[in-house]
Amino acid sequence: MIDVIENIPKTLEKLRKSRPLVQNITNLVVMNVTANALLAIGASPVMAHAEEELEDMLKIADALVINIGTLDRSWIASMEKAVKMATEFGKPIVLDPVGAGATKLRTQVALKLLEAGKISVLRGNLGEIAALLGEEGKTRGVDTLEYKEETAQVIAIKATKRFNLVVAVTGATDYVSDGKELYAIKNGVSLLGKVTGTGCMATSLIGAFCAVTEPLTATVSALTAFGVAAEKAYEEAPYPGSFHVRLYDWLYRLNPDLLKEKMEVKALVF
């Protein structure tokens, strides 16, 4: 069995050495911030959603990230085609079901993408993941109205068994499971909820880490790294605007020793 926690710092080193190319079909609100987050951590982003170039892009990409935040017909078609192609090419795929549960369209599109190919990781907040399970989620736009840690654990485990992939339910504590193991990540700060696109950044970082290791280790590593960077950023800038800038700085400044010192990750029994 891979020691997921022990491998977190090593995985960051591996990412920095390989500089994976991460293709993002993401929403208009966060294209810039997710690209900057990927660059800061040491990956190489590309934002490409035109159907006509998907094959060329996916052949050279090391991972695919799909984010359904701003949907329209052409983007939905591109997302479905990209998932099928990435599956055919054996590329890891990360799905962020932004706002699932808020509208029928978002829920239906996310579920269709889960069926379209082999998704590696599903990352969302409690309401979004619950909605994909058909449970009564409390979702308003991209926000979860209520977060309970016990519920988040249960939803993560249910979702990984339902969809046969790694699931990350993110919130005050992030819970990651592959159906056999469950991890709790305590790193992070509440100010992340006051800056647009931080959840989307986390999803893109998972894509970068998936390019260099298996999905469970990748997801735990990415969320831990993001949480530690957020904590360091908050020490210097406890207000949304300056915090946002410092977040990029600390994603760039992260190193294995800092991760070893600051990471708060536990394997849980279920």
Side-chain angles (χ1 to χ4, degrees), residues 83 95 97 107-119 121-122 132 163 165:
V83 168
L95 173 63
T107 307
Q108 290 169 354
V109 168
L111 289 171
K112 193 168 184 179
L113 291 172
L114 286 165
E115 295 175 353
K118 186 173 177 53
I119 306 292
V121 181
L122 173 67
L132 298 181
F163 301 117
L165 41 57

Side-chain angles (χ1 to χ4, degrees), residues 57-78:
M57 283 295 185
L58 285 168
K59 282 181 177 178
I60 61 173
D62 297 299
L64 171 68
V65 174
I66 301 283
N67 176 310
I68 69 168
T70 50
L71 292 173
D72 66 24
R73 290 180 182 178
S74 64
W75 280 35
I76 292 170
S78 289

Side-chain angles (χ1 to χ4, degrees), residues 215-230:
L216 182 63
T217 301
T219 305
V220 174
S221 298
L223 294 177
T224 303
F226 190 64
V228 170

Side-chain angles (χ1 to χ4, degrees), residues 11-247:
T11 304
L12 176 63
E13 281 188 303
K14 193 173 181 181
L15 186 155
R16 291 262 169 84
K17 289 177 181 177
S18 64
R19 295 193 60 82
L21 178 64
V22 182
Q23 180 178 348
N24 297 262
I25 301 180
T26 190
N27 74 71
L28 292 168
V29 179
V30 304
M31 280 191 183
N32 181 268
V33 298
T34 52
N36 281 331
L38 285 166
L39 286 168
I41 199 72
S44 181
V46 61
M47 308 310 192
H49 57 267
E51 284 192 68
E52 294 81 3
E53 65 176 353
L54 286 178
E55 184 173 0
D56 290 339
M57 283 295 185
L58 285 168
K59 282 181 177 178
I60 61 173
D62 297 299
L64 171 68
V65 174
I66 301 283
N67 176 310
I68 69 168
T70 50
L71 292 173
D72 66 24
R73 290 180 182 178
S74 64
W75 280 35
I76 292 170
S78 289
M79 289 174 182
E80 291 177 8
K81 186 173 181 179
V83 168
K84 291 175 182 177
M85 281 188 174
T87 300
E88 180 182 338
F89 296 153
K91 305 297 175 77
I93 308 168
V94 182
L95 173 63
D96 191 331
V98 178
T103 69
K104 291 180 180 178
L105 175 65
R106 290 171 183 268
T107 307
Q108 290 169 354
V109 168
L111 289 171
K112 193 168 184 179
L113 291 172
L114 286 165
E115 295 175 353
K118 186 173 177 53
I119 306 292
S120 305
V121 181
L122 173 67
R123 189 224 62 93
N125 64 39
L126 178 57
E128 291 163 348
I129 305 301
L132 298 181
L133 292 171
E135 301 194 9
E136 188 64 29
K138 296 184 177 180
T139 304
R140 179 184 61 196
V142 299
D143 300 321
T144 293
L145 300 184
E146 184 178 3
Y147 184 86
K148 293 182 179 179
E149 293 199 5
E150 289 184 5
T151 305
Q153 293 179 41
V154 170
I155 290 297
I157 294 165
K158 280 187 178 180
T160 191
K161 291 181 177 179
R162 171 79 63 85
F163 301 117
N164 192 30
L165 41 57
V166 170
V167 173
V169 176
T170 53
T173 299
D174 300 332
Y175 291 98
V176 180
S177 180
D178 64 350
K180 298 175 182 176
E181 300 176 54
L182 175 66
Y183 292 89
I185 303 161
K186 295 285 187 180
N187 295 105
V189 294
S190 61
L191 195 60
L192 285 166
K194 299 297 183 182
V195 178
T196 297
T198 54
C200 303
M201 287 185 202
T203 300
S204 289
L205 294 181
I206 292 170
F209 278 85
C210 276
V212 299
T213 191
E214 51 81 29
L216 182 63
T217 301
T219 305
V220 174
S221 298
L223 294 177
T224 303
F226 190 64
V228 170
E231 290 171 356
K232 296 299 291 182
Y234 184 77
E235 289 175 6
E236 298 178 352
Y239 303 101
S242 52
F243 170 77
H244 197 183
V245 175
R246 288 290 184 268
L247 184 55

